[in-house]
Amino acid sequence: MKALRRIIPAFFVLVFSSQVLFSQSVTAGLYSSDGLRSAEEGFAAQEFRRGVQAFYRGSFNESIIQFEKALNYLPEDSLIMDWLGKAYYHSGMESTALSSWNRISEEGYGGLLLQNKIEVVRERRITSDFSRETRYTEAGSFPGLYNGNQIFSGPVSALPNNNGTVWVLAYGSNELVEINVNGTVVSRITGPINGFDRPMDIIRLNDGKLLVSESAGDRLALFSRKGKFIKYIGQKGRSLGELLGPQYLAEDSRNNIYVSDYGNSRIDVFDKDGNPLFFFGGKQKNFAGLKGPTGIAALNESIFVCDDVKDCIYEFDRAGNFRRILCGEKTFNRPESMKVWNDFLVVCDSNKVISVDPVSGSTFECVRTGNEPTRLTSAVPDVNGNIIVTDVKNNEVYVMSKLKELVGGLFVQIERVDASKFPTVNLEVRVENRHRNPVVGLRENNFYITEQKRPVSKLKFTGASSANEFCDVTLIIDRSSYAEGFDEEINSVVRELVDSMQSVSTLRVLSAGKVPAMEYKGSPSALKMFNVNGLKTPLSKEVPLDLAYRLAANDLINGEKKRAVIFVSAGKSTASAFGKYSLAETCAYLNNNHIYVASVLVTEQVPDEEFDYVVKNTPGKEYYMFQTEGLGSVIDDLMDEPTGLYTFSYVSALSTNFGEKYLPVEVETYLLNRSGRDETGYFSPLQ
């Protein structure tokens, strides 16, 4: 409904007539039918402009204040209320953001776009673990034959990468093909000089190298993480270290390599350097021996093996001693590969993918391809939350997604607009699924960017943050009374972390004391001889962890796109540790600003539940200073964490009214059968 025309004194006409604020969905309050506004509308426009600019600077508390001021002048304006919800959302106050959005949605503002945002944010507030009892359906597929041209032949195994691409091992064409999320071939590897000889399975070892089994070559081929051939492991034969028709591969936490040796009806074991250790699977007490070993998986202290003659799964210990039959005979119908996902086993079985509980042996059918003859040989989770399934019989690779993800689509957010060099505009767009998992690997052709529903000009895809090679880190040092007596341990942890920070651009050190305080900001190299006694903040019996986390995150919001908070502590929280901001609000603040959280404990004691809650409800991990592999992996894990942020630039064709006009921009994202959309606005510099 259009606002009524008002009679305005000449003074206000001169001052505010140029401040025409374009509203995306409503006109109530922000401008009159003739473009002239009252004093309230003019003051609201000024505060609204300041709020939008503060939001894009990452100053969310300031933007909340500005939007609240604007609402004091126009309390019913839906556009201002929408932006206030955005500011509260990025401040971690999701319940307040939902209240703002619900109010204007009920009044008809925002349509399906806002309703979907409300639904997604509401669902995200309910944390839930991965359930093996989840059904997947086809979201898309990559055929080996396209328009009469062979792309690959006989896909038998897949290995997803953190950048969204996936390695597909082709049994028929004897090659390793890298495919992006759109199904485009990025690269091909044909093996060493003499090529692959019927490759069967591929895994990524703990050190990042790639290992391929060659069933006809009776050997394993080791490659660098970028696909450069290094050496062969094993040779044809029946003795120790020799193979006959090797099929599937697995690696345990001690870097030992397990191979299902079908021709020898056994499992061969090699160390990390490829030296043979032993083999097992022969007849033992209460065990008749393997008949047709196929899929293999290492989980905790057990080795699980599929047998396609008995159609069952056996469990062994690491030394190869038989433990039990996990899934009885005839449970499956020619099982193939078996992989570990979220502490469950995922088995390919003819035209089905089945998840198996490694404790009870209960099964659940996750994927069924229908009654058409198929032979699924591998099913692995990718970085975008899909399952990549290879069908060697139909020469096709399927991308399987949760049905709810397909129906709900992608969650797209325009996070930042930089118009400081207008008419050139820079955008940061984040793409996630409905459960906060980033969608990586997208390219320019996955996006459609418009202003006032018209395509922008000179659009350039300027980067994906997943490819960034640098990060920012804030170290929080525990200054609670519980940290007393752990000075040497804290010093050791910080120095070890600093030694691994070659990829860190800026390191910040924050003391979590009675009043959290920033102690250092600069290059990590300056802290190689860190000493906790050099901190200015004394130990305290009261430490507000909520304020420490928020202060640690504040500077990171405008830092590198890969960023992390690493808390070095004794794992104990004091009274009222989350007195001002709740645990849920603290995690929401970190999550909604995409900050990785790691906890490094200097004791072997179980941490308090507050520390566990933060780590489990944000991206990140928990580490102990005493772990045998050391702490060098902390920064590596941060760098490997996927981030679904994409940047663009374009040249705007909109008039700015000397920088006073609210300029709209819209983004649509497409991936296979899914899509998502967001729209927002910005102001150009004042002229």
Side-chain angles (χ1 to χ4, degrees), residues 89 94 97-98 101-102 105 111-126 404-405 407-409 411 433-436:
Y89 173 79
E94 291 183 340
L98 287 170
W101 289 333
N102 279 322
S105 179
L112 291 175
L113 183 62
L114 182 57
Q115 291 175 24
N116 182 67
K117 180 188 290 186
I118 292 170
E119 181 182 345
V120 170
V121 174
R122 186 183 292 121
E123 286 181 359
R124 286 180 169 187
R125 299 181 71 212
I126 304 172
K404 193 171 185 180
E405 295 289 347
V407 174
F411 188 56
N433 67 11
R434 296 176 67 86
H435 297 286
R436 214 189 293 274

PDB file of all heavy atoms in Angstrom, residues 89 94 97-98 101-102 105 111-126 404-405 407-409 411 433-436:
ATOM      1  N   TYR A  89      21.091 -11.856  13.496  1.00  0.00           N
ATOM      2  CA  TYR A  89      21.523 -13.195  13.095  1.00  0.00           C
ATOM      3  C   TYR A  89      23.047 -13.294  13.124  1.00  0.00           C
ATOM      4  O   TYR A  89      23.609 -14.247  13.674  1.00  0.00           O
ATOM      5  CB  TYR A  89      20.990 -13.506  11.695  1.00  0.00           C
ATOM      6  CG  TYR A  89      21.503 -14.790  11.096  1.00  0.00           C
ATOM      7  CD1 TYR A  89      20.965 -16.020  11.469  1.00  0.00           C
ATOM      8  CD2 TYR A  89      22.529 -14.787  10.152  1.00  0.00           C
ATOM      9  CE1 TYR A  89      21.444 -17.214  10.924  1.00  0.00           C
ATOM     10  CE2 TYR A  89      23.004 -15.968   9.598  1.00  0.00           C
ATOM     11  CZ  TYR A  89      22.455 -17.176   9.984  1.00  0.00           C
ATOM     12  OH  TYR A  89      22.931 -18.348   9.446  1.00  0.00           O
ATOM     13  N   GLU A  94      19.914 -15.520  17.334  1.00  0.00           N
ATOM     14  CA  GLU A  94      19.034 -16.055  16.308  1.00  0.00           C
ATOM     15  C   GLU A  94      17.561 -15.970  16.692  1.00  0.00           C
ATOM     16  O   GLU A  94      16.703 -15.757  15.835  1.00  0.00           O
ATOM     17  CB  GLU A  94      19.423 -17.507  16.010  1.00  0.00           C
ATOM     18  CG  GLU A  94      20.769 -17.627  15.319  1.00  0.00           C
ATOM     19  CD  GLU A  94      21.122 -19.058  14.971  1.00  0.00           C
ATOM     20  OE1 GLU A  94      20.522 -19.976  15.583  1.00  0.00           O
ATOM     21  OE2 GLU A  94      21.982 -19.273  14.102  1.00  0.00           O
ATOM     22  N   ALA A  97      16.448 -12.548  15.868  1.00  0.00           N
ATOM     23  CA  ALA A  97      16.364 -12.394  14.416  1.00  0.00           C
ATOM     24  C   ALA A  97      15.097 -13.051  13.885  1.00  0.00           C
ATOM     25  O   ALA A  97      14.380 -12.475  13.042  1.00  0.00           O
ATOM     26  CB  ALA A  97      17.596 -13.010  13.756  1.00  0.00           C
ATOM     27  N   LEU A  98      14.789 -14.243  14.373  1.00  0.00           N
ATOM     28  CA  LEU A  98      13.591 -14.938  13.924  1.00  0.00           C
ATOM     29  C   LEU A  98      12.329 -14.165  14.295  1.00  0.00           C
ATOM     30  O   LEU A  98      11.355 -14.147  13.534  1.00  0.00           O
ATOM     31  CB  LEU A  98      13.548 -16.346  14.522  1.00  0.00           C
ATOM     32  CG  LEU A  98      14.538 -17.351  13.926  1.00  0.00           C
ATOM     33  CD1 LEU A  98      14.572 -18.631  14.750  1.00  0.00           C
ATOM     34  CD2 LEU A  98      14.192 -17.664  12.477  1.00  0.00           C
ATOM     35  N   TRP A 101      11.972 -11.408  11.700  1.00  0.00           N
ATOM     36  CA  TRP A 101      11.569 -11.934  10.391  1.00  0.00           C
ATOM     37  C   TRP A 101      10.149 -12.490  10.410  1.00  0.00           C
ATOM     38  O   TRP A 101       9.399 -12.321   9.454  1.00  0.00           O
ATOM     39  CB  TRP A 101      12.556 -13.007   9.951  1.00  0.00           C
ATOM     40  CG  TRP A 101      13.896 -12.456   9.567  1.00  0.00           C
ATOM     41  CD1 TRP A 101      14.165 -11.203   9.092  1.00  0.00           C
ATOM     42  CD2 TRP A 101      15.154 -13.138   9.627  1.00  0.00           C
ATOM     43  NE1 TRP A 101      15.510 -11.067   8.849  1.00  0.00           N
ATOM     44  CE2 TRP A 101      16.146 -12.227   9.160  1.00  0.00           C
ATOM     45  CE3 TRP A 101      15.548 -14.407  10.022  1.00  0.00           C
ATOM     46  CZ2 TRP A 101      17.491 -12.570   9.081  1.00  0.00           C
ATOM     47  CZ3 TRP A 101      16.888 -14.752   9.940  1.00  0.00           C
ATOM     48  CH2 TRP A 101      17.855 -13.842   9.483  1.00  0.00           C
ATOM     49  N   ASN A 102       9.773 -13.165  11.496  1.00  0.00           N
ATOM     50  CA  ASN A 102       8.412 -13.701  11.582  1.00  0.00           C
ATOM     51  C   ASN A 102       7.373 -12.593  11.538  1.00  0.00           C
ATOM     52  O   ASN A 102       6.328 -12.729  10.901  1.00  0.00           O
ATOM     53  CB  ASN A 102       8.249 -14.518  12.870  1.00  0.00           C
ATOM     54  CG  ASN A 102       8.810 -15.923  12.744  1.00  0.00           C
ATOM     55  OD1 ASN A 102       8.691 -16.555  11.699  1.00  0.00           O
ATOM     56  ND2 ASN A 102       9.427 -16.419  13.801  1.00  0.00           N
ATOM     57  N   SER A 105       7.155 -11.290   7.988  1.00  0.00           N
ATOM     58  CA  SER A 105       6.665 -12.327   7.094  1.00  0.00           C
ATOM     59  C   SER A 105       5.161 -12.489   7.225  1.00  0.00           C
ATOM     60  O   SER A 105       4.445 -12.684   6.231  1.00  0.00           O
ATOM     61  CB  SER A 105       7.368 -13.659   7.395  1.00  0.00           C
ATOM     62  OG  SER A 105       6.897 -14.692   6.559  1.00  0.00           O
ATOM     63  N   GLY A 111       7.900 -12.806   0.997  1.00  0.00           N
ATOM     64  CA  GLY A 111       7.402 -13.956   0.258  1.00  0.00           C
ATOM     65  C   GLY A 111       8.080 -15.262   0.647  1.00  0.00           C
ATOM     66  O   GLY A 111       8.507 -15.469   1.792  1.00  0.00           O
ATOM     67  N   LEU A 112       8.193 -16.166  -0.320  1.00  0.00           N
ATOM     68  CA  LEU A 112       8.756 -17.490  -0.074  1.00  0.00           C
ATOM     69  C   LEU A 112      10.230 -17.429   0.303  1.00  0.00           C
ATOM     70  O   LEU A 112      10.731 -18.285   1.027  1.00  0.00           O
ATOM     71  CB  LEU A 112       8.577 -18.378  -1.311  1.00  0.00           C
ATOM     72  CG  LEU A 112       7.143 -18.789  -1.643  1.00  0.00           C
ATOM     73  CD1 LEU A 112       7.113 -19.562  -2.956  1.00  0.00           C
ATOM     74  CD2 LEU A 112       6.544 -19.626  -0.526  1.00  0.00           C
ATOM     75  N   LEU A 113      10.929 -16.397  -0.204  1.00  0.00           N
ATOM     76  CA  LEU A 113      12.356 -16.274   0.090  1.00  0.00           C
ATOM     77  C   LEU A 113      12.584 -16.097   1.580  1.00  0.00           C
ATOM     78  O   LEU A 113      13.428 -16.778   2.186  1.00  0.00           O
ATOM     79  CB  LEU A 113      12.952 -15.101  -0.685  1.00  0.00           C
ATOM     80  CG  LEU A 113      14.461 -14.885  -0.542  1.00  0.00           C
ATOM     81  CD1 LEU A 113      15.218 -16.093  -1.068  1.00  0.00           C
ATOM     82  CD2 LEU A 113      14.890 -13.629  -1.283  1.00  0.00           C
ATOM     83  N   LEU A 114      11.841 -15.206   2.210  1.00  0.00           N
ATOM     84  CA  LEU A 114      11.987 -14.980   3.647  1.00  0.00           C
ATOM     85  C   LEU A 114      11.457 -16.173   4.439  1.00  0.00           C
ATOM     86  O   LEU A 114      12.049 -16.565   5.448  1.00  0.00           O
ATOM     87  CB  LEU A 114      11.263 -13.702   4.056  1.00  0.00           C
ATOM     88  CG  LEU A 114      11.374 -13.327   5.540  1.00  0.00           C
ATOM     89  CD1 LEU A 114      12.829 -13.187   5.967  1.00  0.00           C
ATOM     90  CD2 LEU A 114      10.610 -12.039   5.838  1.00  0.00           C
ATOM     91  N   GLN A 115      10.376 -16.775   3.985  1.00  0.00           N
ATOM     92  CA  GLN A 115       9.839 -17.940   4.679  1.00  0.00           C
ATOM     93  C   GLN A 115      10.849 -19.080   4.697  1.00  0.00           C
ATOM     94  O   GLN A 115      11.002 -19.781   5.703  1.00  0.00           O
ATOM     95  CB  GLN A 115       8.540 -18.387   4.005  1.00  0.00           C
ATOM     96  CG  GLN A 115       7.380 -17.421   4.180  1.00  0.00           C
ATOM     97  CD  GLN A 115       6.160 -17.842   3.386  1.00  0.00           C
ATOM     98  OE1 GLN A 115       5.989 -19.017   3.056  1.00  0.00           O
ATOM     99  NE2 GLN A 115       5.302 -16.888   3.054  1.00  0.00           N
ATOM    100  N   ASN A 116      11.540 -19.267   3.582  1.00  0.00           N
ATOM    101  CA  ASN A 116      12.560 -20.314   3.525  1.00  0.00           C
ATOM    102  C   ASN A 116      13.715 -19.997   4.469  1.00  0.00           C
ATOM    103  O   ASN A 116      14.234 -20.894   5.140  1.00  0.00           O
ATOM    104  CB  ASN A 116      13.075 -20.449   2.096  1.00  0.00           C
ATOM    105  CG  ASN A 116      14.113 -21.549   1.958  1.00  0.00           C
ATOM    106  OD1 ASN A 116      13.818 -22.724   2.115  1.00  0.00           O
ATOM    107  ND2 ASN A 116      15.355 -21.152   1.685  1.00  0.00           N
ATOM    108  N   LYS A 117      14.129 -18.729   4.531  1.00  0.00           N
ATOM    109  CA  LYS A 117      15.213 -18.348   5.443  1.00  0.00           C
ATOM    110  C   LYS A 117      14.818 -18.629   6.888  1.00  0.00           C
ATOM    111  O   LYS A 117      15.611 -19.173   7.671  1.00  0.00           O
ATOM    112  CB  LYS A 117      15.545 -16.866   5.276  1.00  0.00           C
ATOM    113  CG  LYS A 117      16.657 -16.388   6.199  1.00  0.00           C
ATOM    114  CD  LYS A 117      16.832 -14.886   6.153  1.00  0.00           C
ATOM    115  CE  LYS A 117      17.403 -14.424   4.846  1.00  0.00           C
ATOM    116  NZ  LYS A 117      17.707 -12.959   4.869  1.00  0.00           N
ATOM    117  N   ILE A 118      13.598 -18.289   7.253  1.00  0.00           N
ATOM    118  CA  ILE A 118      13.119 -18.537   8.615  1.00  0.00           C
ATOM    119  C   ILE A 118      13.148 -20.027   8.927  1.00  0.00           C
ATOM    120  O   ILE A 118      13.596 -20.456   9.996  1.00  0.00           O
ATOM    121  CB  ILE A 118      11.697 -17.966   8.789  1.00  0.00           C
ATOM    122  CG1 ILE A 118      11.724 -16.436   8.719  1.00  0.00           C
ATOM    123  CG2 ILE A 118      11.080 -18.425  10.104  1.00  0.00           C
ATOM    124  CD1 ILE A 118      10.359 -15.791   8.649  1.00  0.00           C
ATOM    125  N   GLU A 119      12.683 -20.827   7.985  1.00  0.00           N
ATOM    126  CA  GLU A 119      12.639 -22.269   8.193  1.00  0.00           C
ATOM    127  C   GLU A 119      14.036 -22.853   8.358  1.00  0.00           C
ATOM    128  O   GLU A 119      14.281 -23.673   9.247  1.00  0.00           O
ATOM    129  CB  GLU A 119      11.931 -22.935   7.012  1.00  0.00           C
ATOM    130  CG  GLU A 119      11.811 -24.446   7.143  1.00  0.00           C
ATOM    131  CD  GLU A 119      11.143 -25.075   5.930  1.00  0.00           C
ATOM    132  OE1 GLU A 119      10.527 -24.337   5.132  1.00  0.00           O
ATOM    133  OE2 GLU A 119      11.251 -26.306   5.787  1.00  0.00           O
ATOM    134  N   VAL A 120      14.981 -22.415   7.515  1.00  0.00           N
ATOM    135  CA  VAL A 120      16.344 -22.939   7.580  1.00  0.00           C
ATOM    136  C   VAL A 120      17.005 -22.570   8.907  1.00  0.00           C
ATOM    137  O   VAL A 120      17.606 -23.414   9.584  1.00  0.00           O
ATOM    138  CB  VAL A 120      17.189 -22.417   6.398  1.00  0.00           C
ATOM    139  CG1 VAL A 120      18.658 -22.764   6.595  1.00  0.00           C
ATOM    140  CG2 VAL A 120      16.686 -22.994   5.086  1.00  0.00           C
ATOM    141  N   VAL A 121      16.893 -21.300   9.299  1.00  0.00           N
ATOM    142  CA  VAL A 121      17.526 -20.850  10.546  1.00  0.00           C
ATOM    143  C   VAL A 121      16.903 -21.552  11.744  1.00  0.00           C
ATOM    144  O   VAL A 121      17.608 -21.961  12.680  1.00  0.00           O
ATOM    145  CB  VAL A 121      17.421 -19.318  10.684  1.00  0.00           C
ATOM    146  CG1 VAL A 121      17.936 -18.868  12.047  1.00  0.00           C
ATOM    147  CG2 VAL A 121      18.198 -18.630   9.571  1.00  0.00           C
ATOM    148  N   ARG A 122      15.608 -21.751  11.713  1.00  0.00           N
ATOM    149  CA  ARG A 122      14.943 -22.446  12.815  1.00  0.00           C
ATOM    150  C   ARG A 122      15.434 -23.884  12.920  1.00  0.00           C
ATOM    151  O   ARG A 122      15.690 -24.388  14.011  1.00  0.00           O
ATOM    152  CB  ARG A 122      13.432 -22.415  12.616  1.00  0.00           C
ATOM    153  CG  ARG A 122      12.661 -23.000  13.814  1.00  0.00           C
ATOM    154  CD  ARG A 122      11.171 -23.032  13.549  1.00  0.00           C
ATOM    155  NE  ARG A 122      10.634 -21.686  13.495  1.00  0.00           N
ATOM    156  CZ  ARG A 122      10.009 -21.165  12.435  1.00  0.00           C
ATOM    157  NH1 ARG A 122       9.882 -21.895  11.331  1.00  0.00           N
ATOM    158  NH2 ARG A 122       9.543 -19.939  12.452  1.00  0.00           N
ATOM    159  N   GLU A 123      15.596 -24.558  11.789  1.00  0.00           N
ATOM    160  CA  GLU A 123      16.074 -25.936  11.800  1.00  0.00           C
ATOM    161  C   GLU A 123      17.515 -26.018  12.289  1.00  0.00           C
ATOM    162  O   GLU A 123      17.890 -26.959  12.990  1.00  0.00           O
ATOM    163  CB  GLU A 123      15.988 -26.540  10.398  1.00  0.00           C
ATOM    164  CG  GLU A 123      14.574 -26.871   9.957  1.00  0.00           C
ATOM    165  CD  GLU A 123      14.551 -27.478   8.568  1.00  0.00           C
ATOM    166  OE1 GLU A 123      15.635 -27.604   7.959  1.00  0.00           O
ATOM    167  OE2 GLU A 123      13.459 -27.809   8.092  1.00  0.00           O
ATOM    168  N   ARG A 124      18.320 -25.043  11.930  1.00  0.00           N
ATOM    169  CA  ARG A 124      19.738 -25.076  12.307  1.00  0.00           C
ATOM    170  C   ARG A 124      19.929 -24.918  13.803  1.00  0.00           C
ATOM    171  O   ARG A 124      20.961 -25.310  14.345  1.00  0.00           O
ATOM    172  CB  ARG A 124      20.485 -23.954  11.592  1.00  0.00           C
ATOM    173  CG  ARG A 124      20.703 -24.216  10.119  1.00  0.00           C
ATOM    174  CD  ARG A 124      21.437 -23.066   9.492  1.00  0.00           C
ATOM    175  NE  ARG A 124      21.883 -23.405   8.153  1.00  0.00           N
ATOM    176  CZ  ARG A 124      22.669 -22.621   7.422  1.00  0.00           C
ATOM    177  NH1 ARG A 124      23.070 -21.463   7.895  1.00  0.00           N
ATOM    178  NH2 ARG A 124      23.047 -22.991   6.221  1.00  0.00           N
ATOM    179  N   ARG A 125      18.967 -24.334  14.481  1.00  0.00           N
ATOM    180  CA  ARG A 125      19.106 -24.131  15.920  1.00  0.00           C
ATOM    181  C   ARG A 125      18.949 -25.432  16.680  1.00  0.00           C
ATOM    182  O   ARG A 125      19.272 -25.529  17.848  1.00  0.00           O
ATOM    183  CB  ARG A 125      18.060 -23.117  16.411  1.00  0.00           C
ATOM    184  CG  ARG A 125      18.207 -21.751  15.750  1.00  0.00           C
ATOM    185  CD  ARG A 125      17.172 -20.789  16.287  1.00  0.00           C
ATOM    186  NE  ARG A 125      17.468 -20.427  17.661  1.00  0.00           N
ATOM    187  CZ  ARG A 125      16.542 -20.148  18.572  1.00  0.00           C
ATOM    188  NH1 ARG A 125      15.270 -20.246  18.273  1.00  0.00           N
ATOM    189  NH2 ARG A 125      16.886 -19.797  19.801  1.00  0.00           N
ATOM    190  N   ILE A 126      18.418 -26.453  16.002  1.00  0.00           N
ATOM    191  CA  ILE A 126      18.259 -27.772  16.615  1.00  0.00           C
ATOM    192  C   ILE A 126      19.410 -28.635  16.138  1.00  0.00           C
ATOM    193  O   ILE A 126      19.443 -29.059  14.986  1.00  0.00           O
ATOM    194  CB  ILE A 126      16.910 -28.410  16.227  1.00  0.00           C
ATOM    195  CG1 ILE A 126      15.746 -27.491  16.608  1.00  0.00           C
ATOM    196  CG2 ILE A 126      16.770 -29.770  16.885  1.00  0.00           C
ATOM    197  CD1 ILE A 126      14.409 -27.962  16.091  1.00  0.00           C
ATOM    198  N   LYS A 404      15.266 -34.130   1.562  1.00  0.00           N
ATOM    199  CA  LYS A 404      14.930 -32.827   2.142  1.00  0.00           C
ATOM    200  C   LYS A 404      15.820 -31.729   1.595  1.00  0.00           C
ATOM    201  O   LYS A 404      15.391 -30.590   1.415  1.00  0.00           O
ATOM    202  CB  LYS A 404      15.048 -32.898   3.661  1.00  0.00           C
ATOM    203  CG  LYS A 404      14.421 -31.708   4.383  1.00  0.00           C
ATOM    204  CD  LYS A 404      14.368 -31.941   5.874  1.00  0.00           C
ATOM    205  CE  LYS A 404      13.643 -30.803   6.576  1.00  0.00           C
ATOM    206  NZ  LYS A 404      13.571 -31.010   8.038  1.00  0.00           N
ATOM    207  N   GLU A 405      17.094 -32.075   1.305  1.00  0.00           N
ATOM    208  CA  GLU A 405      18.005 -31.089   0.740  1.00  0.00           C
ATOM    209  C   GLU A 405      17.564 -30.716  -0.674  1.00  0.00           C
ATOM    210  O   GLU A 405      17.651 -29.552  -1.080  1.00  0.00           O
ATOM    211  CB  GLU A 405      19.433 -31.636   0.710  1.00  0.00           C
ATOM    212  CG  GLU A 405      20.039 -31.892   2.066  1.00  0.00           C
ATOM    213  CD  GLU A 405      20.369 -30.606   2.807  1.00  0.00           C
ATOM    214  OE1 GLU A 405      20.356 -29.533   2.183  1.00  0.00           O
ATOM    215  OE2 GLU A 405      20.615 -30.692   4.022  1.00  0.00           O
ATOM    216  N   VAL A 407      14.471 -30.838  -1.897  1.00  0.00           N
ATOM    217  CA  VAL A 407      13.232 -30.058  -1.839  1.00  0.00           C
ATOM    218  C   VAL A 407      13.504 -28.652  -1.316  1.00  0.00           C
ATOM    219  O   VAL A 407      12.994 -27.662  -1.847  1.00  0.00           O
ATOM    220  CB  VAL A 407      12.195 -30.781  -0.960  1.00  0.00           C
ATOM    221  CG1 VAL A 407      10.957 -29.914  -0.777  1.00  0.00           C
ATOM    222  CG2 VAL A 407      11.822 -32.121  -1.577  1.00  0.00           C
ATOM    223  N   GLY A 408      14.334 -28.561  -0.259  1.00  0.00           N
ATOM    224  CA  GLY A 408      14.590 -27.256   0.359  1.00  0.00           C
ATOM    225  C   GLY A 408      15.562 -26.390  -0.414  1.00  0.00           C
ATOM    226  O   GLY A 408      15.553 -25.174  -0.284  1.00  0.00           O
ATOM    227  N   GLY A 409      16.407 -26.995  -1.237  1.00  0.00           N
ATOM    228  CA  GLY A 409      17.343 -26.226  -2.043  1.00  0.00           C
ATOM    229  C   GLY A 409      18.550 -25.748  -1.264  1.00  0.00           C
ATOM    230  O   GLY A 409      18.836 -26.201  -0.157  1.00  0.00           O
ATOM    231  N   PHE A 411      20.997 -22.801   0.571  1.00  0.00           N
ATOM    232  CA  PHE A 411      20.862 -21.611   1.409  1.00  0.00           C
ATOM    233  C   PHE A 411      21.928 -20.618   0.961  1.00  0.00           C
ATOM    234  O   PHE A 411      23.115 -20.815   1.204  1.00  0.00           O
ATOM    235  CB  PHE A 411      21.038 -21.975   2.877  1.00  0.00           C
ATOM    236  CG  PHE A 411      20.714 -20.844   3.818  1.00  0.00           C
ATOM    237  CD1 PHE A 411      19.483 -20.226   3.780  1.00  0.00           C
ATOM    238  CD2 PHE A 411      21.643 -20.409   4.744  1.00  0.00           C
ATOM    239  CE1 PHE A 411      19.175 -19.186   4.656  1.00  0.00           C
ATOM    240  CE2 PHE A 411      21.361 -19.378   5.621  1.00  0.00           C
ATOM    241  CZ  PHE A 411      20.115 -18.767   5.574  1.00  0.00           C
ATOM    242  N   ASN A 433      24.216 -25.838   2.385  1.00  0.00           N
ATOM    243  CA  ASN A 433      22.978 -26.599   2.369  1.00  0.00           C
ATOM    244  C   ASN A 433      22.164 -26.205   3.595  1.00  0.00           C
ATOM    245  O   ASN A 433      22.542 -25.312   4.352  1.00  0.00           O
ATOM    246  CB  ASN A 433      23.234 -28.110   2.291  1.00  0.00           C
ATOM    247  CG  ASN A 433      23.885 -28.665   3.552  1.00  0.00           C
ATOM    248  OD1 ASN A 433      23.980 -28.005   4.589  1.00  0.00           O
ATOM    249  ND2 ASN A 433      24.329 -29.895   3.485  1.00  0.00           N
ATOM    250  N   ARG A 434      21.066 -26.869   3.811  1.00  0.00           N
ATOM    251  CA  ARG A 434      20.164 -26.453   4.880  1.00  0.00           C
ATOM    252  C   ARG A 434      20.733 -26.716   6.275  1.00  0.00           C
ATOM    253  O   ARG A 434      20.209 -26.179   7.265  1.00  0.00           O
ATOM    254  CB  ARG A 434      18.824 -27.170   4.728  1.00  0.00           C
ATOM    255  CG  ARG A 434      18.085 -26.804   3.464  1.00  0.00           C
ATOM    256  CD  ARG A 434      16.814 -27.600   3.313  1.00  0.00           C
ATOM    257  NE  ARG A 434      15.833 -27.262   4.325  1.00  0.00           N
ATOM    258  CZ  ARG A 434      14.962 -26.269   4.223  1.00  0.00           C
ATOM    259  NH1 ARG A 434      14.966 -25.489   3.144  1.00  0.00           N
ATOM    260  NH2 ARG A 434      14.084 -26.033   5.177  1.00  0.00           N
ATOM    261  N   HIS A 435      21.788 -27.517   6.359  1.00  0.00           N
ATOM    262  CA  HIS A 435      22.337 -27.868   7.667  1.00  0.00           C
ATOM    263  C   HIS A 435      23.725 -27.278   7.874  1.00  0.00           C
ATOM    264  O   HIS A 435      24.568 -27.857   8.553  1.00  0.00           O
ATOM    265  CB  HIS A 435      22.347 -29.385   7.834  1.00  0.00           C
ATOM    266  CG  HIS A 435      20.976 -29.990   7.803  1.00  0.00           C
ATOM    267  ND1 HIS A 435      20.089 -29.873   8.839  1.00  0.00           N
ATOM    268  CD2 HIS A 435      20.323 -30.673   6.835  1.00  0.00           C
ATOM    269  CE1 HIS A 435      18.955 -30.477   8.534  1.00  0.00           C
ATOM    270  NE2 HIS A 435      19.075 -30.976   7.312  1.00  0.00           N
ATOM    271  N   ARG A 436      23.968 -26.141   7.260  1.00  0.00           N
ATOM    272  CA  ARG A 436      25.166 -25.327   7.458  1.00  0.00           C
ATOM    273  C   ARG A 436      26.411 -25.908   6.820  1.00  0.00           C
ATOM    274  O   ARG A 436      27.508 -25.367   6.974  1.00  0.00           O
ATOM    275  CB  ARG A 436      25.421 -25.072   8.950  1.00  0.00           C
ATOM    276  CG  ARG A 436      26.036 -23.697   9.238  1.00  0.00           C
ATOM    277  CD  ARG A 436      26.469 -23.561  10.680  1.00  0.00           C
ATOM    278  NE  ARG A 436      25.350 -23.568  11.585  1.00  0.00           N
ATOM    279  CZ  ARG A 436      24.647 -22.499  11.925  1.00  0.00           C
ATOM    280  NH1 ARG A 436      24.925 -21.337  11.409  1.00  0.00           N
ATOM    281  NH2 ARG A 436      23.649 -22.597  12.774  1.00  0.00           N
TER     282      ARG A 436
END
